[in-house]
Structure formats: structure tokens, C-alpha cells
């Protein structure tokens, strides 16, 4: 089998950036240890975590793909990370409004200016870790907790910008949560917890090593399926210092005088109503007919250097449907996949993924997408209700 390339598994490695999965199955203890922290203690401790300094190693099937030396503030965009991928090195420095990405070999600095950028907070990580210990503790008396676990949120590797997993997002609706006692990661004691989805889900077990002092994930392993082969992606934090001293100039960067500078401007905003998005955007916003019990949840505006994407999200508490309108750019105007249907006189592509159904078409210079973990009939009906004028 040929060695995997980093580019091929780039989207897979985003799994270590952030995983949002809701686990609502049973919890069990593999041994009799019940001396575990309470959920409230976990959340309170993580709320006090302000910064992390560590070496982050990513591997695929045991082969090292990248090594990152990083210091970052938890719950903010601020970080400074030097990454070595093969023979190529790069530096990323970010604060709450600007990110510098310096490619030493090319002597190029890509500068991204963020406006109204959204940030991950350590409140979300603390509630996720607290939920894990809450359910494992509940299982210690032989009972099962039927209530859904809070979304499992793993920090971005090296404290980077939170990103959704770019590949197929599996359901995990009937996963079980198992406690496997304690272990060590780079000399630090950790609790070991495993999430096991139902048998027919492509992504297999996710195992977490959670620091016993700060309750922060030190390592996570995930099994994925690529070309019908199971591969293991691992992220490990080594040489960790929690709440290190951070200098005032740590999160700014002065590019070399002879470097090529590439500027980029990104605006990201979330709204509680469709009307707010309509007022913010120059493009017309769809007003789809979405069947009950799905109801409006939020709206989003995203501008990447002048290319605008807007979206409306609907949910019924378990299923989610999203309607997106964007300006196609370059080859992105081509429809994906091979399956074609007609939507209001326009050719559209329909695709089925483990995470839901996607319907895509172009009209009047814009790209429309309806995506959701709902039926094909619902996705098509919503698409047909959209006037692309």
C-alpha cells in the first residue's frame, strides 16, 4: 500500500480541529473505579484555564504527519504556532482580528483580517468535558443515562480556529460511552474515555485521554474509513504547560521586509432572525417553505474577500436543514456528482451522504444549496420553494 500523502488526508485531519457529535446512548465502566471528578468540578476547573503551551504531534496509522510547537489562549483566536510538515515549515500568529501565515520556503505571508469573527469559548469545552464525566459518574452505580450528552467538542490542534470536520460527519446517535480507567500521556496522568458508535457507522471509536489536573484532552484517537480501509488519526499534546506566562507581543508578527504579502478580508456574522440577515446582505435572501416540525434557528453572513455566502438554518432539535446562497467562484460553478434532477427549470445535483442529503443548483449567477439530515423529499420540496430571482 503506498504511503499516504498529507494533502490527501488534509480534510481528515480537520477531525482533530473540532468534532461535534451528540452521543445519546449508554455509558458503562470497564472497571470498578468510581473516584472520578464531578461534572461541576470539571467545568469550574476548565473555566480557569486561560492558556496552553505544548508540542502537538499528529499521526496517521502511526506515521508522523506534522509537529507543531504552539502557545495559545483558550477560548480566543490568539495563538502562535510553528508547524513542521515533512520538510516544509510554517508559522501562524493570530490575535482577535488578524492572522499571519508565514511560509518560510516561499517567503510569503498571508494576512487575514477578520471582522466580527466568531470564537470558540472554553465554556463550550468545559461543558462538553463536564458532560462526559457527568454521564460516566452516573453509570458507576450500574444505571444508564438516557439524556443526550452535550456535544463532544475537542479543541483545535494547537489552539487554531475551530473548523467543522470537512469529510462525512457520522451520526453517533446510538453511541455508547465507556470509561477505561487511567493512563499517561507524555508523563501526565489522564482519564481514558471511549465513544463507540453503532456498528454501521464509518467512523469507529473515538478515544480521549483527559488530563487529571485540568480535565483538558491531551490525546485523542479516531478511526476513519478511507477507500474502505480503516485508518487511525491521532493527536497528542506533549511537553504541556497549563496557564503559562504569555508576553504582550506573543500574538503579533512583523513580516520580513522582503516577504510577499497577500491580504485577505473575512467577515463572519451570525443573526437570530432572517430579517437581520436581509438587512446585512446586498444579495436577496431566500425565503423557503420549510415543513414542520423544522423551525428557524439562525442565519449567517460570510464574506471571504468579496465572495459572499449566506445561510439559513432550521432545526427540530435533532434534525437540521440549511439553505445556503453564495456567489460561485471559478470552477465551483460546476455541479458536483453525477445524479441530476430539475429544480424550477434548472439542472440540480443531488447527493446522499452519511450526514444528510445535499441539493445544489445555480441560478442568476448564484449557487444554491439545501442540505440536511432529512428525507430526499423534504430537501427537494424546500429547494422547489425557493425563488432564485
Amino acid at each position: 500500500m503506498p504511503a499516504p500523502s498529507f494533502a490527501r488526508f488534509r480534510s481528515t485531519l480537520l477531525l482533530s480541529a473540532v468534532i461535534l457529535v451528540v452521543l445519546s446512548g449508554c455509558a458503562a465502566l470497564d472497571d470498578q473505579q468510581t473516584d472520578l471528578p464531578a461534572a461541576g468540578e470539571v467545568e469550574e476547573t476548565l473555566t480557569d484555564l486561560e492558556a496552553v503551551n505544548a508540542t502537538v504531534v499528529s499521526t496517521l496509522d502511526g506515521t508522523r504527519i506534522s509537529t507543531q510547537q504552539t502557545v495559545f489562549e483558550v477560548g480566543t483566536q490568539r495563538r502562535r504556532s510553528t508547524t513542521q510538515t515533512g520538510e516544509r515549515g510554517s508559522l501562524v500568529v493570530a490575535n482577535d482580528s488578524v492572522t499571519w501565515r508565514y511560509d518560510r520556503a516561499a517567503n510569503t505571508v498571508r494576512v487575514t483580517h477578520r471582522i466580527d469573527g466568531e470564537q470558540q469559548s472554553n465554556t463550550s469545552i468545559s461543558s462538553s468535558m463536564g458532560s462526559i464525566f457527568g454521564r460516566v459518574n452516573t453509570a458507576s452505580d450500574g444505571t444508564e443515562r438516557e439524556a443526550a450528552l452535550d456535544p463532544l467538542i475537542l479543541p483545535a490542534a494547537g489552539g487554531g480556529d475551530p473548523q467543522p470536520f470537512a469529510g462525512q460527519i457520522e451520526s453517533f446517535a446510538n453511541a455508547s460511552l465507556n470509561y477505561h480507567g487511567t493512563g499517561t500521556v507524555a508523563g501526565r496522568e489522564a482519564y481514558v474515555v471511549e465513544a463507540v458508535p453503532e456498528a454501521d457507522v464509518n467512523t469507529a471509536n473515538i478515544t480521549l485521554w483527559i488530563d487529571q489536573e485540568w480535565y483538558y484532552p491531551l490525546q485523542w484517537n479516531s478511526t476513519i474509513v478511507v477507500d474502505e480501509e480503516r485508518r487511525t488519526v491521532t493527536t497528542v499534546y506533549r511537553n504541556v504547560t497549563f496557564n503559562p506566562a504569555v508576553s504582550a507581543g506573543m500574538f503579533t508578527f512583523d513580516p520580513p521586509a522582503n516577504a510577499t504579502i497577500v491580504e485577505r478580508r473575512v467577515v463572519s456574522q451570525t443573526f437570530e432572525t432572517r430579517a437581520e440577515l436581509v438587512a446585512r446582505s446586498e444579495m436577496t435572501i431566500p425565503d423557503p417553505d420549510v415543513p414542520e416540525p423544522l423551525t428557524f434557528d439562525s442565519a449567517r453572513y460570510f464574506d471571504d474577500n468579496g465572495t459572499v455566502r449566506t445561510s439559513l438554518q432550521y432545526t427540530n432539535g435533532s434534525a437540521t436543514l440549511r439553505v445556503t446562497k453564495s456567489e460561485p467562484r471559478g470552477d465551483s460553478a460546476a455541479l458536483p456528482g453525477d445524479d441530476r434532477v430539475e429544480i424550477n427549470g434548472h439542472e440540480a445535483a443531488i447527493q446522499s451522504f452519511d450526514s444528510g442529503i445535499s441539493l445544489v443548483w445555480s441560478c442568476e449567477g448564484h449557487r444554491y444549496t439545501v442540505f440536511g439530515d432529512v428525507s430526499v423529499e423534504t430537501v427537494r420540496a424546500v429547494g422547489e420553494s425557493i425563488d432564485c430571482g
Side-chain angles (χ1 to χ4, degrees), residues 50-195:
E50 297 180 353
V52 177
N53 191 340
T55 301
V56 184
V57 179
S58 298
T59 62
L60 177 68
D61 291 341
T63 300
R64 182 174 299 199
I65 293 176
S66 68
T67 302
Q68 182 179 104
Q69 183 60 48
T70 184
V71 56
F72 59 93
E73 291 187 356
V74 178
T76 76
Q77 300 281 1
R78 293 187 286 275
R79 72 189 190 278
R80 190 180 192 95
S81 302
T82 301
T83 302
Q84 191 70 31
T85 303
E87 297 182 355
R88 198 172 188 89
S90 63
L91 171 68
V92 174
V93 181
N95 53 43
D96 287 330
S97 60
V98 184
T99 298
W100 296 266
R101 291 179 172 84
Y102 178 42
D103 185 328
R104 292 186 176 86
N107 198 25
T108 298
V109 181
R110 298 187 180 275
V111 184
T112 301
H113 301 272
R114 296 186 307 277
I115 300 175
D116 296 321
E118 295 163 355
Q119 303 173 12
Q120 182 182 11
S121 69
N122 49 340
T123 299
S124 61
I125 294 176
S126 65
S127 63
S128 176
M129 294 299 109
S131 180
I132 287 175
F133 283 99
R135 207 175 77 188
V136 171
N137 274 315
T138 300
S140 67
D141 60 5
T143 63
E144 295 181 2
R145 179 182 175 188
E146 297 299 333
L149 185 71
D150 284 352
L152 171 58
I153 300 178
L154 300 183
D161 300 338
Q163 303 177 52
F165 177 36
Q168 297 177 345
I169 304 175
E170 282 71 22
S171 166
F172 279 83
N174 296 308
S176 60
L177 190 64
N178 300 323
Y179 173 63
H180 291 300
T182 62
T184 59
V185 177
R188 294 190 66 91
E189 296 297 322
Y191 300 107
V192 184
V193 180
E194 178 189 32

Side-chain angles (χ1 to χ4, degrees), residues 158-376:
D161 300 338
Q163 303 177 52
F165 177 36
Q168 297 177 345
I169 304 175
E170 282 71 22
S171 166
F172 279 83
N174 296 308
S176 60
L177 190 64
N178 300 323
Y179 173 63
H180 291 300
T182 62
T184 59
V185 177
R188 294 190 66 91
E189 296 297 322
Y191 300 107
V192 184
V193 180
E194 178 189 32
V196 184
E198 54 189 342
D200 60 350
V201 175
N202 282 339
T203 294
N205 305 9
I206 297 175
T207 303
L208 300 170
W209 283 257
I210 302 171
D211 188 71
Q212 288 190 18
E213 179 184 5
W214 284 98
Y215 312 123
Y216 191 89
L218 297 173
Q219 176 174 329
W220 51 94
N221 295 357
S222 177
T223 304
I224 60 171
V225 175
V226 179
D227 297 334
E228 299 184 351
E229 293 186 41
R230 291 194 177 276
R231 320 300 296 270
T232 299
V233 180
T234 301
T235 297
V236 183
Y237 278 54
R238 303 184 183 279
N239 307 317
V240 182
T241 302
F242 291 106
N243 281 343
V246 177
S247 64
M250 178 70 71
F251 306 117
T252 60
F253 178 65
D254 292 324
N258 62 343
T260 300
I261 309 297
V262 180
E263 301 275 353
R264 178 186 174 206
R265 176 178 175 272
V266 174
V267 179
S268 178
Q269 293 175 280
T270 299
F271 304 102
E272 295 182 356
T273 67
R274 177 182 174 275
E276 290 176 294
L277 177 60
V278 170
R280 175 64 179 86
S281 179
E282 294 183 359
M283 70 167 63
T284 60
I285 303 302
D287 190 11
D289 294 330
V290 178
E292 294 182 347
L294 292 166
T295 58
F296 178 83
D297 176 63
S298 62
R300 185 165 186 177
Y301 176 91
F302 185 80
D303 182 343
D304 185 353
N305 239 26
T307 300
V308 174
R309 181 173 72 250
T310 63
S311 66
L312 305 168
Q313 181 165 297
Y314 303 81
T315 184
N316 63 7
S318 56
T320 300
L321 182 137
R322 186 176 296 110
V323 175
T324 302
K325 180 179 180 180
S326 60
E327 300 169 341
R329 179 170 54 182
D331 293 339
S332 65
L335 292 175
D338 299 321
D339 292 338
R340 297 290 185 263
V341 296
E342 184 177 300
I343 297 295
N344 298 332
H346 299 278
E347 184 181 44
I350 191 162
Q351 294 179 288
S352 177
F353 302 97
D354 287 352
S355 52
I357 305 297
S358 171
L359 178 68
V360 182
W361 74 99
S362 295
C363 177
E364 301 294 333
H366 291 91
R367 168 64 58 88
Y368 293 81
T369 302
V370 179
F371 180 85
D373 48 345
V374 294
S375 68
V376 173

